[in-house]
Structures are given as structure tokens and as C-alpha cells.
């Protein structure tokens, strides 16, 4: 599965280099449709599970905190990594607060703060998604099912959800969807908030 | 966002239709993998088609790898630690 995923990405990059596709609208329409199809299949596999409600009720209380732990961990981790390659802590925090949602975080940061940092956010959060796809199976095995929800961040509700589901169980898939949903809602709240903080401290 | 939640709900209720042919049921995971490949292909396509991004890749890319590793490690660590401490207490 992993090499198929990487091959798809690499094939896309190669085709892009050769063809120089400029039709962004068509591309985002295709992505939206593919994402909808992906979520349909995720909903379908949840629907096939007749004991779903029992499993939701059986989620440990601590699960409610998972998306907020992922948010905090992502921002702190980015700040720490930023110190290693001399990126300002505030800017690293901003990039980390994309939580893997590369399109939205890149646009938000490029529009309200700085274009180059927006590009950094795009790349960082794309790499986060790829890293998550590669690491989720190992994290699930070594560090437990709940921890496998963390790498994907906001993408735990869509792109990385099937990977979490395949490597854990139905209950963790529900946790992943819940965590990804909360994080997706947090992205457009936390990024403008951090931009405000950065601009206030600069001015 | 509405499209995504709509698709998820549609899938959920489609799976509960008792008269859905078994052949269609078996096709759903295939659709899942295919759409994931299309998504990543499209992402690669927009990356490859942007000369500005490609030329900035070496400098920005190295930092982005470090930052993304930081976000993954930080979030995994916090969740792992909390679950572990929660188990010990409870």
C-alpha cells in the first residue's frame, strides 16, 4: 500500500513537471470529488459495523482530549524543530498549526502573514501527511492505537483515516474521525490567532 | 466541509441498505484505494506544475522535513504520554 501511495505522488509530480498543468480549478474539482469518494467509502465501512454505537460509547473518557493533545504537540514539536534550523518560534508555531491541512494552512498564512511562510506551511503539512502515511502502521504497533491517531493531525478524518482503520480497530477509527474533525475546525481558528499574536509582538 | 460530511453520511447509510448487492459492497474498498491514489496524484501534479515551488524546494524542503517531523513526534509523544499516565492512574 505504501509504495503505491508514494508512486501515485511521484507520478503526479513527474506529470506536473512535464505537462505544467495550469488548470487549478479542474485540479481542485478532481481532488474534491476524489476526497468525497474516499469519505463515502469510510462512511460505508463504519456503516457496515453494526456495533458502532456500542463502540462509540465505549471510548475511554481520555479520548475527548486527543485532538487538543495533538494540536499542542504539533505546535510544540514544530517550535522545537524550528530551533534546530533557526526558524523563529512564532513562525514555526504558525506552520505547525496547519495540523496537516496543507491547502488551508498555506492559503491562510500566505494571505495574512507571508507568502514564503505560506509555502513552508504547504510543504511541511504535505510532508506531515506523507510521514503519517508511512509511520502510522509502526506507531500503532509500537506505541498503541490512540497514538496512531496523532501523526495524521487533521487528516485523520479523511486521507489517513483508512490507514488508521486498517492498522487499529473500528473504535480507533471513530476516535481518528473525531480527532481529525476537531483539528480541522481548529486550523482556521488557531492560525489567525497566532498571526495576530505575531503581528502584535512585531509591531 | 459540507460535501465531505455529506459523502461520509451517504456512505454510512448506503452500507445499511439491506438490498444492496454484494458485488457493490465488495467494490467499495477498491473505490477507497483508487480515490486515495487520485488525491495524491493530483497533489503531485499541482506541486510539479509550480516552477516557483520546485525551485524553492531544496531550501524550503529541508526545513519543512524537520518541521513536519517535529509536529509528528510532538503530537505522538503527547498522546502516548497521556494515555500511559491515564492507564497508570486508572
Amino acid at each position: 500500500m505504501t509504495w503505491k501511495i508514494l508512486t501515485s505522488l511521484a507520478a503526479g509530480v513527474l506529470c506536473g513537471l512535464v505537462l505544467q498543468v495550469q488548470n487549478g480549478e479542474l485540479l481542485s474539482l478532481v481532488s474534491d470529488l476524489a476526497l468525497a469518494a474516499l469519505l463515502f467509502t469510510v462512511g460505508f465501512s463504519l456503516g457496515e459495523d453494526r456495533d458502532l454505537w456500542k463502540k462509540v460509547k465505549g471510548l475511554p473518557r481520555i479520548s475527548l482530549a486527543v485532538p487538543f493533545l495533538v494540536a499542542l504537540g504539533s505546535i510544540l514539536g514544530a517550535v522545537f524543530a524550528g530551533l534546530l534550523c533557526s526558524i523563529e518560534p512564532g513562525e514555526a508555531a504558525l506552520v505547525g498549526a496547519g495540523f496537516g491541512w496543507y491547502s488551508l494552512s498555506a492559503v491562510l498564512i500566505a494571505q495574512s502573514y507571508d507568502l514564503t511562510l505560506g509555502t513552508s506551511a504547504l510543504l511541511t503539512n504535505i510532508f506531515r501527511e506523507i510521514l503519517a502515511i508511512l509511520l502510522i502502521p509502526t506507531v500503532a504497533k509500537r506505541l498503541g492505537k490512540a497514538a496512531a491517531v496523532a501523526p495524521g493531525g487533521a487528516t485523520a478524518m479523511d486521507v489517513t483515516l483508512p490507514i488508521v482503520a486498517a492498522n487499529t480497530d473500528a473504535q480507533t477509527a471513530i476516535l481518528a474521525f473525531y480527532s481529525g474533525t476537531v483539528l480541522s475546525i481548529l486550523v482556521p481558528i488557531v492560525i489567525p490567532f497566532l498571526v495576530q499574536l505575531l503581528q502584535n509582538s512585531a509591531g | 466541509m459540507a460535501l465531505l460530511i455529506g459523502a461520509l453520511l451517504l456512505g454510512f447509510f448506503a452500507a445499511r441498505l439491506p438490498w444492496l448487492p454484494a458485488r457493490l459492497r465488495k467494490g467499495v474498498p477498491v473505490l477507497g484505494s483508487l480515490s486515495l491514489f487520485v488525491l495524491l496524484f493530483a497533489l503531485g501534479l499541482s506541486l510539479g506544475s509550480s516552477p516557483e515551488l520546485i525551485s524553492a524546494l531544496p531550501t524550503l524542503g529541508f526545513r519543512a522535513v524537520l518541521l513536519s517531523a517535529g509536529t509528528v513526534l510532538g503530537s505522538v509523544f503527547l498522546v502516548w504520554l497521556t494515555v500511559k499516565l491515564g492507564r497508570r492512574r486508572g
Side-chain angles (χ1 to χ4, degrees):
Chain A
M1 192 66 185
T2 304
W3 75 263
K4 283 185 190 164
I5 284 166
L6 291 178
T7 309
S8 319
L9 185 71
V13 173
L14 284 178
C15 288
L17 282 173
V18 175
L19 299 172
Q20 291 299 316
V21 182
Q22 296 309 330
N23 198 336
E25 274 170 41
L26 181 69
L27 213 56
S28 71
L29 178 69
V30 170
S31 304
D32 283 350
L33 288 177
L35 200 52
L38 184 64
L39 278 166
F40 174 85
T41 66
V42 170
F44 196 91
S45 61
L46 289 174
E48 278 192 317
D49 191 336
R50 295 282 158 171
D51 301 322
L52 189 72
W53 185 235
K54 251 190 233 164
K55 286 172 184 161
V56 173
K57 284 202 288 191
L59 274 178
R61 257 245 209 84
I62 212 167
S63 305
L64 290 178
V66 165
F68 303 99
L69 294 168
V70 173
L72 191 64
S74 303
I75 291 174
L76 292 179
V79 168
F80 187 75
L83 293 176
L84 297 178
C85 51
S86 58
I87 299 174
E88 252 185 73
E91 297 196 338
L94 203 50
V95 170
F99 305 143
W101 191 352
Y102 49 82
S103 49
L104 183 69
S105 60
V107 171
L108 283 175
I109 295 173
Q111 281 177 349
S112 64
Y113 188 73
D114 174 61
L115 184 64
T116 313
L117 198 69
T119 310
S120 288
L122 179 74
L123 291 174
T124 300
N125 288 293
I126 288 173
F127 288 148
R128 175 170 190 167
E129 186 174 305
I130 297 167
L131 259 183
I133 290 169
L134 296 175
L135 289 179
I136 285 169
T138 317
V139 172
K141 218 180 283 169
R142 300 274 166 94
L143 300 172
K145 291 169 189 163
V149 171
T155 69
M157 71 178 288
D158 43 59
V159 179
T160 57
L161 178 52
I163 300 155
V164 173
N167 287 284
T168 57
D169 52 24
Q171 207 177 37
T172 312
I174 294 161
L175 172 61
F177 184 74
Y178 157 74
S179 175
T181 307
V182 173
L183 285 163
S184 300
I185 297 166
L186 285 178
V187 173
I189 297 172
V190 175
I191 287 183
F193 174 73
L194 287 174
V195 167
Q196 199 74 42
L197 279 184
L198 269 170
Q199 282 167 346
N200 284 347
S201 69
Chain B
M1 194 72 186
L3 174 77
L4 303 185
I5 292 172
L8 193 92
L9 289 175
L10 195 68
F12 185 87
F13 290 112
R16 301 255 159 144
L17 296 175
W19 42 263
L20 198 73
R23 262 181 61 206
L24 273 183
R25 276 183 196 278
K26 279 184 191 146
V28 170
V30 181
L31 177 67
S33 318
L34 275 180
S35 45
L36 186 60
F37 298 150
V38 170
L39 264 178
L40 288 158
F41 183 81
L43 170 61
L45 207 56
S46 50
L47 267 179
S49 303
S50 165
E52 304 91 51
L53 271 184
I54 291 293
S55 63
L57 262 185
T59 34
L60 293 180
F62 171 70
R63 292 173 155 202
V65 168
L66 268 180
L67 285 176
S68 62
T71 62
V72 168
L73 291 177
S75 57
V76 168
F77 176 73
L78 265 193
V79 173
W80 171 81
L81 187 74
T82 309
V83 170
K84 201 177 161 161
L85 291 177
R87 269 206 197 115
R88 192 173 293 169
R89 211 188 298 156

